């Protein structure tokens, strides 16, 4: 452990620590442009110069390029170093335009700070300034190349870190340019990070362009709820509007970056069409009146037998408070148990996944970067949880092998092995891989059940011949691996797959490897919903109940089954059969428009909340602002209204859990804090898994992984489906998620709509050949509930016998069965353009 | 004794002086009847000026609102079709303004300027909240020449990239020549 | 009861109450204020008895000079601000004992004095009469006291002067 | 009994008239001071409220009555509220012994034109004037503000210092008149006013009187530019008004005393006695305003030196000289 003295203060740092990092640990900020903790050092900008007074080097050196070593004495304030930095900044500013007032980075611009603090105030250079043309880089990023200081951070992030290659350096010498070869939308779904990473205003945020300055924003730490990973963000609000979201450094979840879905997925919060007032039978009312109306309707179902006719559904975008309250209200009022998921299989898969997250198996997103072999089972990282793809990319950069077992046409921004197979075969393939990878020496370590499980695995010979060579090659890599990680999806896969993934992990663990297990779950709070959900209850069972006539009143809490439920026709019929439909939500969903009684609720940004990500990490968020209709919307001509008032317009909505608390006779209405404390007590009673959950105030910024699955008795499943049934020439239809456009909240973001593209249907190349279809054809697919039309995309990069339909908003895909859906090949017709 | 005489003499002179003043015409300028012309740089009512070519100078950079010690300036920035940044709305609460002139000092485009016009009292306090239409004037104020967009280096209708003062032609990025 | 009697009793009550307040308050400034009220009340009593000179002297000397000096000192010295409450018992006890002794002696005097049934004749003490009395009958004492005061004054001046020189 | 009631009624009427005149005069003295001072300084003075600003005092009164009466949180409430009342009452009470005429005969009844002819009248004035110090000292202390406290202390010190000179300067007058009664003193000036025989006493009295009423150049207790407003910094509304009322009533009293002790009081040809007294009072007030318009504020040590080292010895010498002359 080298010890170094910086500015007369001594510090001991880990070997390999750069001097600039050591200084940072002491709280000394050495100026930097090109150095970034996530991207490393290149020594390009020359602005982190410090003076080495003693030690192996002497004189002015770049602190980002020198490892801290014993006997080093460094001064950051030495005259020579300060003068050096001053001249460097002056040189960097030679061509910098005079546009700070019209630049969105002004106010949080590293270059601005360094220029001012470096003492360069007056321009001495009298020559002409170099200029560049700018490019259109899509709806998210504004390009202003004149401001560039050539630190290369953008191309290093975009290409080296992110794995995309459509943006980089061009031209040479004094004319080096950063941009695309041709104008166009950036391909990377992580492009928003360019804004955070650029030390000046070359890349600025387009959706929030010119909205305000950093100093005017109410900034607070927040959370992304657009997928299950729970990336940490910083949210900026101004004039009662959420304006911007940026990545927040999280050592355990997302690191320094977030994906564009998360960065721009907040617009639902401040939409003009966001419902702000209660509606009872098409009449706008106050919250009290609406609650009274709900209570009045509930009186009909007051007695014990009738209470079972009331059902309540939450969703995976509920906060933990809401999830708990839904459950508590149902229990207290003896209603039907609450539903959180579309179908019973989803509940089952989640519950089995959660119960298998043993503490020594579970890994966080950042720990994936340390793996050397990653098997992705039934998950599409880039589309389901984009930041997972970036984490996989980091592992791959460090030498890990990534093998994806998934029927979908998977794209990842790096080199990986894709072994497409249908949903039954992918787990068999992975089993065969394990079978082939375990050496005889390792096998000896296996005990009874593990040995039995190993014996039941398919051998390489049992799987398709075409795949054998690939599996064998991978097996060699897995054999050498010390830290393999299994990433498993829980959405598309078969019932047993999540449990099987855990079994595979356990098997490798038994064989002496340091294994990690990582699930991808549906929704931001899928984990908590899975913990709270009753096994046999889902939206589907509720529909069945309505159809039978046993459920007459339905309360949907921040839940919109019409968005996700595969059989739309059946759902709509059921909703019509209801006597009363109550909806509480903060988005103007389709189901909200059908509600008899509608109550608006608040968003994460207005009341905060606790969300549990897919590894069981509870992360709490405090309110970012007071709520209310954005000033721009309450505006008056071209300016805000000229009135004084103490009330915030449109701030009446309460959190869903506060509204629900009115539906149980608790006597005194509780304050938000008291109610929260009470909810925490209920949670501990409802499920023992919550006992270790810290109080909201005690949750640390990095979150708390509170859930520790006990070493389950049911390790190593006995019943294992091996291989897949032949589908008799039928194609299995699978509705899948895409990075942009299929997630409910981010779908409301106007800027992401362009990125969602137009609806397509994916088909395997040989299947298409059989049907005489080619890439780009318009096809109609006859589903259970009617025909679906879209362009066909033919790819060799997916499983045969599958038809993959991304759940695009413009595509009425919800004509499927509630269960598995198959189409005959003659149900697919080519349409004329 | 001499001192006492001196003192009495001094006192007498003083009293005589003030007594003589009794018969002089007062030098008071009575305000509403007579208004003294103020120097151009007096700090009173704030205006938003225009470029010599007639476009709004304000780029809504928020610097004036940031520097304002009483937070009486608020605005919303936006972009118009030709790429110029402008204030969608601009509001000064003169009920709060202390006429310190820091906004004028902070303004990078010479848009916001203080004028000698100080008679802006109202009975209704809301009438002191000035919107952009009340603030915007049709002249250049004290700074007759400056046009920010000639120097900023951003593309607007004032000039494309490389067409402004002291700028080279844009780099051809598709060329390998230095 | 005549009007004068009523005025007498009211004034007496005021004096007793303000004096009582003065000895029970712990805020020194309040004490001074109550004491001034008490002195003022006594002065009015003197006036009522037909001794305007005495009344005026009481106000000028006691209320106007002595108490204002007290107030001056109190204002200059930063004292702790006490809550308005009574002194502790151990401070009260001696006071109460002495008070009881006074009460007994007073009662004895009043009951045994021969003239207590006789109305006092109103003594209209004119300033001239007072001055003549003082300077003709007691001129020696007055001169001695004046001399004493003069010596004290000179001494004080000398001390003050010495101090001032030291300072320089 | 009837006699007593009539006497009482007369007393009440006299009191009422005197108080009314005093208060009105106090209000208009403010106007006079502002107007006259303005002219001394080549200004107009108040000229917006009414003709020549004559309604200014009324406007001021209304303003002060309607303003919020603020008691600072840290102030000693009881004394804070008491202090302005003390200042105003002691000032008003002083006028009780000032004669404004010899007597009036109404329905065969002689009514003396003085509220009460005390045989110790002059001492009564001193007694009340010394009580007035309390208002200043307590107001300054109770405000619990350093400026106020400094103002209060300065005020108290200044007033007790100058009281001595004030008293001593009047001893020759008393010796000449042979009485403390002010009525007697006025009567003693039937032939000539005392200013002629006692010019030194007059000057000493004028100076001490200005210091006693805390007027420029002796306004150290309220010195605006060093102490804010001194002992009444924290006062607002009508309590502030009471302080000012006290000050201006004081000005009248001193004017009246100067008139009565040195200028022959109500005596004068042709015009009725109260008018003479009024004119003399106004004359003294104008002189005081003239002084205010001319002289700068003294330094504190100058103030003390003037009082103790100049005025008191002078007054003592004056007493000795007068005594010697009287004896001869």
């Amino acid at each position: 452990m080298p010890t170094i003295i910086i500015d007369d203060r001594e510090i001991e740092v880990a070997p390999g620590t750069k001097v600039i990092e050591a200084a940072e640990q002491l709280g000394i900020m050495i100026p930097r442009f090109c150095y970034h903790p996530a991207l490393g050092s290149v020594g390009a900008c020359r602005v982190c110069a410090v003076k080495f007074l003693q030690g192996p080097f002497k004189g002015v050196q770049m602190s980002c390029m020198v490892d801290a070593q014993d006997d080093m004495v460094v001064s950051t304030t030495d005259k020579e170093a300060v003068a050096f930095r001053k001249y460097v900044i002056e040189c960097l500013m030679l061509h910098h335009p005079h546009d700070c007032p019209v630049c969105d980075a002004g106010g949080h611009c590293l270059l601005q700070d360094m220029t001012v603090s470096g003492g360069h105030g007056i321009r001495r250079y009298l020559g002409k300034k170099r200029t560049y043309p700018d490019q259109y880089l899509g709806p998210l990023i504004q390009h202003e190349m004149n401001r560039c200081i050539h630190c290369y951070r953008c191309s290093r992030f975009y290409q080296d870190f992110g794995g995309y290659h459509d943006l980089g350096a061009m031209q040479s010498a004094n004319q080096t340019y950063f941009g695309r070869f041709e104008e166009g939308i950036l391909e990377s779904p992580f492009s928003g990070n360019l804004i955070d990473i650029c030390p000046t205003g070359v890349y600025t945020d387009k959706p929030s362009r010119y909205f305000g300055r950093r100093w005017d924003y109410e900034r607070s730490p927040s959370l992304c709820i657009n997928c299950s990973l729970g990336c940490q963000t910083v949210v900026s609000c101004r004039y009662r509007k959420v304006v911007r979201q940026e990545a927040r450094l999280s050592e355990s979840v997302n690191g320094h970056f977030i994906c564009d879905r998360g960065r721009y997925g907040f617009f639902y919060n401040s939409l003009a069409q966001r419902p702000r007032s209660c509606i009872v039978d098409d009449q706008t009312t106050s919250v009290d009146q609406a609650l009274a109306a709900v209570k009045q309707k509930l009186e009909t179902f007051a007695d014990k037998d009738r209470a079972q006719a009331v059902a309540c559904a939450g969703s995976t975008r509920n906060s933990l408070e809401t999830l708990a309250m839904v459950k508590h209200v149902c229990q207290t009022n003896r209603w039907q148990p609450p539903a959180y998921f579309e179908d019973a299989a989803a509940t089952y898969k989640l519950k089995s996944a959660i119960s298998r997250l043993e503490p020594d198996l579970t890994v966080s997103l950042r720990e994936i970067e340390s793996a050397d072999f990653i098997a992705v089972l039934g998950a599409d990282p880039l589309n389901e949880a984009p930041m997972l793809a970036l984490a996989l990319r980091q592992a791959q950069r460090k030498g890990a092998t990534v093998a994806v077992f998934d029927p979908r046409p998977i794209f990842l921004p790096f080199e990986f092995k894709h072994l497409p197979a249908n949903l039954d075969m992918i787990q068999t393939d992975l089993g065969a891989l394990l079978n082939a990878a375990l050496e005889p020496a390792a096998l000896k370590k296996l005990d009874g059940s593990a040995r039995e499980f190993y014996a039941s695995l398919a051998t390489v010979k049992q799987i398709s011949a075409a795949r054998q060579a690939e599996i064998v090659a991978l097996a060699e890599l897995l054999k050498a691996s010390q830290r393999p990680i299994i990433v498993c999806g829980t959405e598309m896969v078969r019932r047993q797959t999540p449990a099987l993934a855990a079994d595979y992990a356990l098997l490798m663990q038994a064989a002496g490897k340091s294994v990690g297990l990582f699930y991808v779950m549906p929704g931001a709070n899928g984990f908590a919903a899975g913990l709270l959900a009753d096994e046999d209850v889902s939206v589907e069972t509720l529909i069945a109940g309505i159809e039978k006539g046993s459920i007459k009143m339905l309360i949907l809490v921040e839940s919109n089954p019409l968005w996700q439920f595969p059989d739309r026709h059946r759902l709509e019929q059921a909703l019509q059969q209801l006597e009363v439909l109550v909806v509480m939500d903060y988005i103007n969903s389709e189901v909200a428009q059908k509600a008899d009684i509608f109550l608006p609720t608040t968003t994460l940004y207005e009341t905060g909340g606790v969300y549990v990500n897919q590894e069981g990490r509870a992360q709490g968020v405090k309110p970012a602002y007071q709520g209310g209709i954005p000033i721009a919307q309450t505006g008056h001509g071209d300016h805000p209204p000229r009135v004084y008032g103490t009330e915030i317009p449109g701030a009446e909505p309460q959190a869903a859990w506060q509204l629900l608390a009115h539906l149980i006779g608790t006597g005194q209405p509780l304050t938000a804090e008291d109610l929260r404390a009470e909810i925490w007590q209920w949670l501990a009673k409802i499920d023992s898994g919550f006992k270790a959950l810290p109080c909201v105030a005690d949750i640390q910024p990095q979150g708390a992984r509170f859930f520790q699955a006990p070493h389950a008795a049911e390790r190593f499943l006995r019943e294992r489906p091996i291989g897949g049934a032949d589908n008799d020439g039928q194609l299995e239809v699978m509705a899948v998620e895409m990075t942009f456009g299929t997630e409910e909240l981010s779908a409301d973001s106007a800027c992401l709509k362009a990125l969602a593209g137009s609806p397509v249907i994916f088909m395997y190349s040989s299947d298409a050949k059989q049907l005489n279809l080619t890439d780009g054809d318009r096809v109609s697919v006859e589903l259970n509930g009617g025909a679906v039309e879209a362009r066909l995309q033919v790819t060799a990069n997916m499983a045969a016998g599958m038809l993959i339909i991304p759940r695009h908003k413009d595509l009425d895909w919800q004509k499927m069965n509630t269960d598995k859906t198959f189409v005959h090949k003659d149900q697919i017709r080519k349409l004329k353009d | 004794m001499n001192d006492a005489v001196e003192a009495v003499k001094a006192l007498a002179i003083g009293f005589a002086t003030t007594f003589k003043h009794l018969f002089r015409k007062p030098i008071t300028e009575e305000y509403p009847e007579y208004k003294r012309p103020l120097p151009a740089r007096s700090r009173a009512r704030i205006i938003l000026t225009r470029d010599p070519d007639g476009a709004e100078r304000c780029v809504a950079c928020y610097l004036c609102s940031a520097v304002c010690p009483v937070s009486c300036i608020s605005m919303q920035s936006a972009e118009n079709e030709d790429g110029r940044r402008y204030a969608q709305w601009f509001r000064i609460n003169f009920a709060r303004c202390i006429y310190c002139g820091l906004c004028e000092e902070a303004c990078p485009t010479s848009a916001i300027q203080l004028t000698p016009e100080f008679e802006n009292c109202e009975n209704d306090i809301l009438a002191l909240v000035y919107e952009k239409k009340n603030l915007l004037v049709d002249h250049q104020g004290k700074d007759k020449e400056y046009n920010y967009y000639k120097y900023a280096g951003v593309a607007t209708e004032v000039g494309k990239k490389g067409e402004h003062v002291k700028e080279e032609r844009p780099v051809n990025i598709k060329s390998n020549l230095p | 009861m005549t009007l004068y009697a009523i005025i007498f009793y009211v004034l007496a009550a005021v004096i007793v109450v303000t004096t009582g307040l003065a000895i029970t308050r712990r805020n020194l400034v309040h004490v001074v204020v109550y004491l001034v009220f008490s002195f003022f009340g006594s002065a009015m009593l003197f006036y009522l008895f037909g001794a305007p000179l005495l009344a005026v002297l009481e106000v000028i000397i006691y209320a106007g000079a002595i108490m204002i000096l007290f107030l001056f000192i109190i204002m200059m010295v930063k004292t702790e601000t006490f809550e308005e409450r009574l002194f502790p018992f151990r401070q009260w006890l001696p006071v109460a004992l002495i008070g009881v002794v006074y009460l007994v002696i007073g009662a004895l005097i009043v009951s045994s004095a021969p003239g207590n049934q006789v109305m006092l004749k109103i003594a209209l003490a004119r300033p001239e009469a007072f001055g003549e009395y003082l300077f003709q009958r007691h001129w020696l004492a007055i001169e001695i006291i004046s001399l004493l005061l003069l010596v004290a004054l000179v001494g004080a001046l000398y001390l003050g002067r010495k101090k001032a020189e030291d300072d320089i | 009994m009837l006699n007593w009631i009539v006497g009482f009624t007369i007393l009440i009427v006299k009191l009422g008239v005197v108080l009314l005149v005093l208060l009105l005069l106090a209000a208009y003295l403010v106007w006079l001071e502002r107007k006259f001072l303005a002219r001394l300084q080549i200004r107009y003075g108040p000229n917006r409220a009414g003709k020549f600003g004559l309604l200014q005092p009324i406007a001021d009164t209304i303003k002060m009555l309607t303003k919020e009466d603020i008691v600072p949180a840290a102030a000693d409430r009881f004394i804070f509220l008491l202090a302005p009342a003390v200042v105003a009452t002691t000032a008003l009470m002083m006028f009780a012994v000032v004669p404004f005429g010899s007597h009036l005969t109404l329905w065969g009844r002689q009514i003396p034109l003085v509220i009460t002819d005390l045989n110790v009248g002059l001492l009564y004035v001193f007694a009340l004037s010394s009580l007035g110090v309390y208002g200043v000292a307590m107001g300054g202390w109770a405000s619990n503000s350093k400026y106020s406290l400094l103002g209060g202390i300065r005020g108290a010190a200044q007033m007790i210092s100058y009281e001595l000179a004030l008293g001593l300067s009047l001893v020759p007058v008393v010796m000449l008149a042979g009485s403390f009664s002010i009525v007697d003193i006025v009567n003693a000036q039937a032939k000539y006013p005392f200013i002629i025989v006692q010019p030194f006493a007059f000057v000493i009295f004028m100076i001490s009187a200005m210091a006693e009423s805390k007027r420029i150049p002796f306004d150290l207790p309220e010195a605006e530019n060093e102490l804010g407003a001194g002992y009444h910094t924290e006062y607002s509304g009508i309590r502030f008004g009471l302080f000012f009322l006290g000050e201006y009533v004081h000005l009248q009293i001193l004017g009246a005393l100067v008139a009565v002790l040195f200028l022959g009081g109500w005596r004068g040809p042709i015009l009725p006695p109260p008018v003479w007294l009024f004119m003399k009072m106004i004359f003294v007030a104008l002189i005081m305003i003239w002084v205010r318009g001319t002289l700068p504020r003294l330094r504190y040590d100058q103030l003390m030196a003037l009082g103790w080292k100049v005025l008191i010895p002078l007054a003592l010498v004056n007493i000795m000289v007068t005594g010697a002359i009287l004896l001869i």
Side-chain angles (χ1 to χ4, degrees), chain A residues 95 97-104 125-135 142-147 170-177 180-182 209-213 215-216 238-239 631 638-644, chain B residues 59-63 65-66 74-79 83-85 88-89 91 93 108-109 125-131 133-134 146 148-149 151-155 161-162 166-178:
Chain A
H95 296 292
H98 180 59
D99 64 353
C100 293
V102 295
C103 171
D104 254 338
Y125 173 66
L126 298 173
K128 288 185 165 183
K129 286 180 181 176
R130 172 194 58 214
T131 59
Y132 291 109
D134 299 328
Q135 287 180 332
Q142 180 77 28
H143 193 219
E144 180 68 51
M145 188 52 207
N146 278 2
R147 299 173 184 146
M170 281 179 276
Q171 252 278 13
S172 66
N174 193 32
Q175 308 197 330
T176 309
Y177 183 86
R180 286 167 58 88
F181 183 70
E182 269 173 342
R209 184 159 165 85
Y210 295 164
F211 194 80
R213 293 281 181 211
W215 62 69
D216 281 333
R238 181 167 178 258
Y239 289 151
I631 284 180
D638 55 352
H639 56 72
R642 297 170 63 87
V643 285
Y644 289 120
Chain B
V59 296
C61 66
Y62 300 99
L63 282 178
S65 73
S74 53
M75 74 194 83
Q76 180 56 58
S77 174
E79 188 178 17
R84 278 176 78 130
R85 190 176 159 136
Q88 199 176 39
W89 52 266
R91 178 179 277 186
N93 185 348
T109 65
I125 199 163
L126 256 182
L128 282 169
V129 178
Y130 278 42
E131 300 294 347
K133 63 173 188 291
N134 312 112
Y146 192 61
Y148 169 74
Y149 281 105
Y151 303 90
V154 293
K161 283 284 171 80
K166 275 200 180 165
E167 272 186 5
E168 279 171 8
R169 304 300 303 167
V171 170
N172 177 7
I173 59 167
K174 300 281 172 68
S175 155
N176 261 342
L177 294 171

Side-chain angles (χ1 to χ4, degrees), chain D residues 131-176:
Chain D
L131 282 184
V133 183
Y134 281 100
V136 176
M138 293 188 325
W141 178 82
S143 301
N144 208 344
S145 135
K146 49 179 89 86
Y147 298 116
S148 297
L149 182 65
L150 279 173
I153 289 175
R154 279 185 183 187
Q158 172 180 337
M159 286 167 86
I160 38 186
S161 303
Y162 276 83
E163 216 163 80
L164 275 174
L166 194 75
L168 289 174
S169 72
L170 288 185
V171 172
V173 173
V174 175
M175 286 160 81
L176 287 174

Side-chain angles (χ1 to χ4, degrees), chain B residues 53-93:
Chain B
D53 56 8
E56 286 172 26
R57 263 182 180 159
C58 177
V59 296
C61 66
Y62 300 99
L63 282 178
C64 49
S65 73
V67 80
C68 181
V70 290
S71 302
C72 72
I73 306 179
S74 53
M75 74 194 83
Q76 180 56 58
S77 174
E79 188 178 17
N80 67 9
E81 315 81 56
D82 53 34
R84 278 176 78 130
R85 190 176 159 136
Y86 76 107
Q88 199 176 39
W89 52 266
F90 194 104
R91 178 179 277 186
I92 299 181
N93 185 348

Side-chain angles (χ1 to χ4, degrees), chain D residues 219-246:
Chain D
D219 66 336
L220 285 110
E222 39 194 284
E224 285 82 3
N225 33 11
E226 356 175 339
L227 298 181
Y231 59 92
H232 54 66
T233 301
E234 306 294 335
Y235 283 89
S236 65
I238 195 59
R239 278 180 212 285
F240 174 78
L242 280 178
F243 269 124
F244 259 70
L245 178 76

Side-chain angles (χ1 to χ4, degrees), chain A residues 176-229:
Chain A
T176 309
Y177 183 86
F178 294 90
R180 286 167 58 88
F181 183 70
E182 269 173 342
E183 284 197 337
I185 297 174
L186 289 171
E187 286 166 12
S188 170
F190 308 103
S191 59
N193 293 305
L194 293 174
I195 302 159
D196 291 358
I197 218 165
C198 178
T200 177
V202 177
Y203 307 98
T204 49
D205 196 67
K206 214 176 214 176
S208 73
R209 184 159 165 85
Y210 295 164
F211 194 80
R213 293 281 181 211
R214 179 70 62 95
W215 62 69
D216 281 333
Y217 288 151
E218 297 172 70
R219 283 163 63 77
S220 58
S222 191
L223 206 61
C224 167
I225 56 167
N226 297 108
C227 81
S228 61
L229 296 178

Side-chain angles (χ1 to χ4, degrees), chain A residues 300 455 457 481 637:
Chain A
T300 333
L457 292 176
S481 147

